[in-house]
Amino acid sequence: MKAGYINLDNWQLGFAALLIVLNLAISVWLRLGLARSLLVASVRMVVQLLLVGFILDSVFALSTPLPVVGIGVVMAALASVAAVRRTRRRFRGIYWNSLLSTLGAAFVVTGAALAGIINVHPWFAPQYAIPLLGMVLGNLLTGVSLALDRFMLGVARESGVIEGDLALGATRWEAARPLVSEALRTGMVPTINAMMVMGVVSLPGMMTGQMLAGAAPTAAVRYQIVIMFMIAAATALGTLAVILLAFRRLFNKRHQLCAARVQNVEKGDGGN
Amino acid sequence: MDGRTLWHDLDLTVRAGERVAVAGASGSGKTLLLRTLAGLEPVQAGDLSFQGRALADWPMPAYRARVVYVAQRPALPEGQVEAALRGPFRFRVHRHQPFPLDRARELLVMLGRDGKFLQQRTERLSGGEAQIVAMLRALLIAPDVLLLDEPTASLDARAVAAVEALVNGWLQGNPQRACVWTSHDRDQLQRVSDRVLSLEAVA
């Protein structure tokens, strides 16, 4: 590869790691009790990234579509699990619902962008497909988990109002519509907020990376614009799909609310 | 429910014009019975039919437009009372009939409330006022059967009498109507019903 940028050797990484000493010092001084987690997190971050670097080196050398698609499915599956693990209320089949929505939305949008907008040849070129899919998934999973959480909270808290409407002759859709809208709005908010301040408050990581690699800022922002529209479309599609699937699971064909199918999880863990 | 059998060999027929009371201790399944009659709970075993047609053959919204259940502690949508009363008229089953605002005012007067009550916010209502609004929501869509779950549990004596009179008046308005009522108050059940069904917990 031609290097329009400075390659970092192990010594330079070592010096960068010294920066964490700053965090450790603050944690010890103020007795935050974070020293252990900081160390574990740092080691995990370094190991995970070095590993992923090796894997991607070989992935980028792939010249057939099947392994690339396979890696994409694994990435989508991991994202869908992470999305569910952030919710506090679940039902049987929620992981499948999340997988179906995440996979479907991310693949449709990324595929359309690769083949129809960016015109990559071949369409599955991993150097484009994998990072774009990764960015779409990272944002999509936030939307899916927020929307699911809001929907389930609504089912739990507003079951009285919902059943009140059902008892007066509402269809399951009429009774659940306010909840569905609220959940979709909640899922879309982070993406809308991000677009609002993009370039003003935040310089997105991908854009920064392209500029470090020698791309002209005017060229880098073009990619960022495409990726933001991809993220927005995928989030809308994915949250809509996951909420509709949850709706079908919690409201049966006899227009009954099956609130007993909702189980509380002690606390949603962060996942990573 | 939860693996328990609450009742079996239950055989209940409600005829047009009839007022049936359901009595039983707490936990005997009075609420569950009414919710089952309203089609809000899946029937675990047995048959239910309305107007000679099995419940399974009724489209649920059409059935519930005629057999209306009013919960003991009704939850109302956020907003003004009038909006809560109008809400059901946006459902497909009720869309053909206009919202009867005059009738709502008339019923409120019978319950001792003036027109300003319509502008109150549902979040601020007391338990008894919420019961009144839920009752109005049910009456305004003109059902055939009312399933009332302790409808006067949070009301004072005067309001109780008003609600009883209201339901009786509604029943007399059409001989096709019928009402099933649960209450802890034995005297009330005597007043508002023609016959009492006693649920006894399965030992």
Side-chain angles (χ1 to χ4, degrees), chain A:
Chain A
M1 252 187 212
K2 68 170 171 99
Y5 56 93
I6 303 162
N7 257 314
L8 299 178
D9 62 26
N10 289 340
W11 282 106
Q12 287 167 304
L13 290 188
F15 284 127
L18 285 179
L19 291 173
I20 201 75
V21 171
L22 203 67
N23 299 47
L24 288 175
I26 293 172
S27 175
V28 170
W29 178 44
L30 292 174
R31 300 206 186 97
L32 299 181
L34 290 175
R36 218 182 101 85
S37 330
L38 267 172
L39 278 177
V40 172
S42 305
V43 172
R44 275 189 66 155
M45 183 268 289
V46 169
V47 173
Q48 287 166 5
L49 284 183
L50 287 177
L51 264 177
V52 116
F54 280 122
I55 293 172
L56 286 182
D57 262 348
S58 45
V59 169
F60 281 15
L62 292 171
S63 52
T64 50
L66 213 57
V68 180
V69 171
I71 290 165
V73 171
V74 171
M75 287 166 65
L78 291 174
S80 72
V81 170
V84 174
R85 288 174 70 89
R86 286 188 197 170
T87 60
R88 275 176 301 250
R89 290 178 184 79
R90 300 176 195 167
F91 51 88
R92 253 181 50 206
I94 192 172
Y95 282 100
W96 284 112
N97 287 359
S98 175
L99 177 64
L100 209 64
S101 323
T102 310
L103 193 71
F107 270 51
V108 165
V109 171
T110 311
L114 287 174
I117 299 170
I118 309 179
N119 288 320
V120 183
H121 291 289
W123 61 269
F124 60 86
Q127 180 199 343
Y128 288 89
I130 299 293
L132 289 179
L133 183 66
M135 275 184 291
V136 166
L137 284 173
N139 290 277
L140 176 56
L141 92 86
T142 307
V144 165
S145 69
L146 286 176
L148 265 181
D149 222 21
R150 180 66 188 82
F151 186 71
M152 307 297 279
L153 176 76
V155 166
R157 282 218 190 132
E158 290 149 44
S159 62
V161 176
I162 295 168
E163 287 203 317
D165 281 355
L166 289 174
L168 291 168
T171 62
R172 56 179 174 166
W173 180 246
E174 285 168 334
R177 254 254 318 260
L179 215 59
V180 170
S181 317
E182 195 52 45
L184 292 182
R185 200 172 300 138
T186 307
M188 285 303 298
V189 160
T191 306
I192 295 170
N193 284 350
M195 292 203 286
M196 285 287 181
V197 299
M198 189 137 294
V200 186
V201 178
S202 65
L203 274 189
M206 185 195 70
M207 221 171 86
T208 322
Q210 276 188 301
M211 290 192 280
L212 282 177
T218 46
V221 294
R222 288 174 175 273
Y223 266 91
Q224 190 60 39
I225 289 168
V226 172
I227 188 76
M228 278 321 291
F229 283 133
M230 287 171 67
I231 286 171
T235 306
L237 206 61
T239 50
L240 179 67
V242 83
I243 294 305
L244 289 183
L245 288 171
F247 164 76
R248 285 178 59 94
R249 182 86 193 123
L250 298 178
F251 291 81
N252 66 21
K253 287 206 176 81
R254 300 296 290 156
H255 303 275
Q256 292 164 337
L257 170 65
C258 309
R261 289 190 185 158
V262 180
Q263 291 138 18
N264 262 303
V265 183
E266 269 304 291
K267 60 170 199 236
D269 46 23
N272 56 289

Side-chain angles (χ1 to χ4, degrees), chain B residues 101-111:
Chain B
L101 181 60
D102 292 336
R103 171 99 176 114
R105 290 217 174 92
E106 192 184 307
L107 292 174
L108 273 176
V109 170
M110 289 176 68
L111 291 164

